[in-house]
Amino acid sequence: MDPPACILVFESIHQVLAAEQSLKEGGFWCDLLPAPREISSDCGMVVAVKPDDCERARAALAAAFRSPRAWYRFASGRLVT
Amino acid sequence: MTRATPIYLDHAATSWPKPPEVLAEIALTFQTLMANSGRSGHAAALESARRVFQTRAGLARLLGAARSDDVILTHGCTESINLVLKGWLRPHDRVWVSPLEHNAVMRPLLRLQRERGLVVETLAADPRGRLDLEALRRKSREAAPRLAIVQHASNVHGVVQDLAAIRQLLPDCPLLVDAAQTLGVLPLDVSALRIDFLAAGVHKGLLGPTGVGVAYLAPDRDVAPLSEGGTGSRSESLEQPTARPDRYESGTPNLHGIAGTLGALRSQPARGLLGGHKTRLVQLLVRSLAEIEGVELQSDADGTALCASFRIRGASPDRVALRLERQHGILCRPGLHCAPAAHRHLGTWPVGTVRMSPGWGTTEDDLLAAAAAVREIACRPE
């Protein structure tokens, strides 16, 4: 992904994998990445989705009771909330 | 030993043989890089985490759990029971138990009784230990206890409790089900039965490896963890994470055992639940044993038992088991089966019984050979 655009942070690796499963079942592209250093990650891995999918992906996760604990976007090379 | 391969009738202790999928998954964890699940961000750690995730999801499906987050992986059924008892019960709580409970329940309960002043009451049951549902109906008019504990099937003589009826009679009572003997054997649906807590190991009816257990904790039940430590999550905090399953899974998990469990789960749909197979075999065995002069049976032939327990008049169970092994190549378990409370209820304390428990791979010929061996011993008890 260039650049990793929307970063979803979860409480545990279990929740990361559950979110990945939900997103793939919903037809979203996603990738699991080591947590960017700027983020105080909860489990060392985060879920990245396409920037244009960010809102829809979060809504889909909320519907599946898998909302991320936090989420970030890249802007000017930096992660912002 | 009189046979090249013994007849293994100790499946209530642990299953053997294991399905090829179990061996293959465990071997794979040694043959390929098996990094620590959830501890790092590299591909090998992620692969381990995926195996753990798939295993947990498979167990959740098997148990009928709505969320896999509520399925906690432990090191065995005993640890799962300890987690619930020590994390849920408070000082001076009231607890109801069935009379057939294993020491995995009774020993921690006795300790908590001493340390926390619990009030433990044994529920009324028939001579075989099946809960007396009419007595339970009357008892249900009392204030609900903090916890009721029911062993789904007895490890001593295979009697199965009617969980649906018990839940109906105790609609508001938190319920712990010890499913050590029934995971992978009988249908379990924690959602439909509104079971609050369930404990089991994977190495018996599910045919998985030893060293892995499961604890189901209903989402609305706040249980304190049994231990705290590193989880790979919230590493910046000195506090234990509150999110499930991490809250209850400190330290490196038994990744080899969990991989074997995944193999067992993958092999299970083709095999199906073992209940029908075991019941048919036990019916045959009990009927055959019932015809032998001098045999006293503790299990019924009516299709309600998952194993057969018996004694031979004039012979101690340990001597019978020794002769079955040395003279006939039949492996079974004598004594109290870590369930002295059950034997007291059955009237077989303190000597116990001989338990024969068939399983996956046991044939009718095996059981007919076992019955013939018992007949020979019964003719000359000592």
Side-chain angles (χ1 to χ4, degrees):
Chain A
M1 193 163 58
D2 185 24
C6 184
I7 300 293
L8 309 176
V9 182
F10 294 87
E11 297 273 355
S12 68
I13 187 67
H14 173 79
Q15 293 187 5
V16 165
L17 293 169
E20 180 195 37
Q21 187 177 50
S22 284
L23 289 170
K24 287 187 171 172
E25 285 172 0
F28 291 93
W29 179 91
C30 65
D31 195 10
L32 304 191
L33 303 172
R37 222 176 51 173
E38 304 95 302
I39 299 174
S40 175
S41 167
D42 285 339
C43 65
M45 300 292 285
V46 295
V47 180
V49 297
K50 289 178 180 174
D52 293 345
D53 286 344
C54 195
E55 301 301 325
R56 284 196 311 118
R58 285 170 44 227
L61 289 170
F65 303 101
R66 293 289 178 193
S67 288
R69 188 182 64 81
W71 63 279
Y72 301 84
R73 282 179 188 275
F74 270 97
S76 306
R78 297 184 59 188
L79 282 168
V80 294
T81 55
Chain B
M1 184 137 346
T2 57
R3 299 172 199 279
T5 305
I7 295 175
Y8 182 70
L9 296 178
D10 203 11
H11 288 261
T14 196
S15 58
W16 185 89
K18 307 296 184 185
E21 292 89 340
V22 174
L23 277 62
E25 288 290 342
I26 293 173
L28 197 62
T29 65
F30 288 101
Q31 291 160 349
T32 58
L33 177 57
M34 185 80 176
N36 204 337
S37 165
R39 266 39 178 197
S40 311
H42 53 69
L46 184 57
E47 179 57 28
S48 287
R50 287 193 193 284
R51 282 169 184 268
V52 175
F53 181 80
Q54 290 162 4
T55 305
R56 195 187 310 278
L59 287 167
R61 279 193 295 276
L62 191 61
L63 293 174
R67 305 190 320 162
S68 57
D69 311 48
D70 302 319
V71 173
I72 312 304
L73 297 174
T74 67
H75 296 98
C77 185
T78 298
E79 186 181 305
S80 300
I81 290 167
N82 271 263
L83 165 61
V84 173
L85 297 182
K86 291 171 182 172
W88 176 248
L89 296 173
R90 305 161 306 188
H92 311 298
D93 273 338
R94 290 164 59 237
V95 180
W96 293 351
V97 295
S98 89
L100 299 180
E101 297 305 313
H102 189 277
N103 270 348
V105 165
M106 297 310 292
R107 285 179 173 173
L109 206 54
L110 187 64
R111 177 178 167 184
L112 292 175
Q113 195 175 21
R114 288 184 186 129
E115 294 180 354
R116 300 186 191 175
L118 299 182
V119 178
V120 179
E121 297 174 64
T122 303
L123 294 168
D126 72 11
R128 285 284 195 245
R130 290 183 198 87
L131 288 189
D132 180 335
L133 297 179
E134 192 46 48
L136 191 62
R137 187 187 312 278
R138 290 193 297 275
K139 186 125 183 106
S140 69
R141 294 178 194 136
E142 299 177 14
R146 175 73 170 172
L147 186 66
I149 306 170
V150 176
Q151 190 186 40
H152 191 190
S154 166
N155 69 305
V156 170
H157 62 321
V159 154
V160 179
Q161 301 286 1
D162 185 347
L163 294 181
I166 293 165
R167 172 42 90 202
Q168 194 173 15
L169 291 170
L170 303 175
D172 303 319
C173 175
L175 184 63
L176 164 60
V177 173
D178 173 358
Q181 296 296 326
T182 52
L183 182 69
V185 176
L186 297 179
L188 288 164
D189 192 329
V190 294
S191 299
L193 291 171
R194 293 187 295 107
I195 290 171
D196 300 272
F197 311 109
L198 182 141
V202 305
H203 68 102
K204 295 184 181 179
L206 193 57
L207 311 184
T210 55
V212 179
V214 55
Y216 167 76
L217 311 177
D220 59 338
R221 298 302 185 192
D222 184 27
V223 176
L226 199 56
S227 61
E228 292 83 12
T231 58
S233 53
R234 302 208 77 112
S235 292
E236 75 282 4
S237 174
L238 294 178
E239 297 285 344
Q240 186 74 1
T242 56
R244 295 180 176 187
D246 290 24
R247 186 183 186 198
Y248 303 104
E249 295 183 2
S250 296
T252 297
N254 175 5
L255 295 170
H256 307 293
I258 290 170
T261 305
L262 184 60
L265 287 164
R266 286 178 175 164
S267 72
Q268 199 267 338
R271 187 175 58 252
L273 295 172
L274 293 178
H277 175 66
K278 284 170 79 85
T279 302
R280 277 192 300 277
L281 292 174
V282 170
Q283 276 184 294
L284 172 68
L285 179 61
V286 171
R287 285 195 184 119
S288 302
L289 292 174
E291 293 170 356
I292 301 170
E293 178 73 24
V295 168
E296 300 168 351
L297 278 159
Q298 277 72 44
S299 304
D300 297 319
D302 59 2
T304 59
L306 294 174
C307 64
S309 222
F310 65 94
R311 297 202 292 194
I312 294 176
R313 276 195 293 276
S316 65
D318 58 301
R319 287 287 302 163
V320 172
L322 186 65
R323 287 178 65 183
L324 284 167
E325 178 179 3
R326 298 279 174 86
Q327 297 171 1
H328 303 277
I330 294 165
L331 308 182
C332 55
R333 182 172 176 188
L336 295 173
H337 314 100
C338 296
H343 280 283
R344 282 183 187 275
H345 183 84
L346 296 170
T348 48
W349 164 272
V351 176
T353 57
V354 178
R355 181 188 68 191
M356 290 183 168
S357 48
W360 187 55
T362 306
T363 66
E364 291 189 1
D365 285 346
D366 291 338
L367 298 178
L368 293 175
V374 171
R375 185 185 300 277
E376 190 176 313
I377 294 169
C379 287
R380 292 183 293 112
E382 292 292 344

